């Protein structure tokens, strides 16, 4: 982030990720220990009523966290929270953004509140959240 103090409405987080592949899901299973077959076994996913496997919610949250820490030094992050909005399908190309919604002062520290979103290539929100950062 530049030295300029952001204004309300500024997008200070923006990162695009490549499409989610089966390989990415398998790697995430190993890294996270989350081996739920709904994310890697197409037969299991279909038996559960889904057209195919889909991404782990925490993988999508990790993408948003990475986008945030690429834009803002982790030492300046005061809070980060998210809520899952929709299933992220295989092949989704995600874009994460953070927009300044408010400038505040707390405990003598200037801070910005950010509205965070993760959207797929169709504009559907997959994850929404908030962060507070020190300026």
């Amino acid at each position: 982030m530049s030295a300029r103090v952001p204004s309300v409405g500024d997008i200070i987080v923006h990162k695009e990720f490549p499409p989610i592949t089966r390989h990415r899901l398998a790697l995430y299973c190993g890294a996270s220990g989350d081996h739920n077959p709904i994310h890697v076994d197409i037969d299991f996913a279909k038996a559960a009523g889904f057209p195919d496997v889909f991404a782990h919610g925490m993988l999508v949250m990790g993408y948003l966290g990475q986008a945030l820490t690429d834009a803002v030094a982790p030492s300046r992050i005061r809070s980060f929270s998210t809520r899952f909005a929709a299933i992220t399908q295989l092949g989704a190309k995600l874009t994460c953004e953070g927009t300044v919604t408010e400038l505040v002062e707390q405990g003598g520290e200037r801070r910005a509140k950010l509205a965070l979103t993760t959207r797929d290539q169709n504009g559907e929100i997959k994850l929404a959240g908030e962060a507070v950062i020190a300026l």
Side-chain angles (χ1 to χ4, degrees):
M1 196 165 84
S2 68
R4 182 183 78 77
V5 175
S7 299
V8 171
D10 286 355
I11 296 172
I12 63 170
V13 175
H14 180 87
K15 185 169 181 122
E16 296 178 11
F17 291 88
I20 295 176
T21 63
R22 292 179 197 284
H23 184 242
R24 173 70 54 205
L25 296 182
L27 289 172
Y28 186 79
C29 281
S32 68
D34 181 347
H35 298 280
N36 186 327
I38 202 83
H39 301 300
V40 291
D41 183 333
I42 190 169
D43 294 330
F44 185 90
K46 285 184 176 185
F50 296 97
D52 203 339
V53 299
F54 53 89
H56 303 72
M58 294 302 289
L59 171 61
V60 178
M61 187 172 134
Y63 282 175
L64 184 57
Q66 180 183 350
L68 178 61
T69 59
D70 282 357
V72 178
S75 63
R76 293 184 25 230
I77 298 171
R78 300 296 178 256
S79 67
F80 172 58
S81 63
T82 62
R83 59 192 175 283
F84 301 105
I87 289 174
T88 301
Q89 300 298 328
L90 188 68
K93 186 174 186 264
L94 300 176
T95 300
C96 300
E97 287 190 334
T99 304
V100 177
T101 59
E102 188 178 355
L103 298 171
V104 297
E105 187 170 317
Q106 186 173 355
E109 182 178 63
R110 290 180 13 198
R111 297 180 179 183
K113 292 184 179 182
L114 309 178
L116 304 171
T117 58
T118 301
R119 297 176 191 268
D120 69 8
Q121 67 277 12
N122 301 316
E124 182 179 8
I125 294 177
K126 301 300 180 175
L127 200 67
E130 299 175 336
V132 175
I133 62 168
L135 298 176

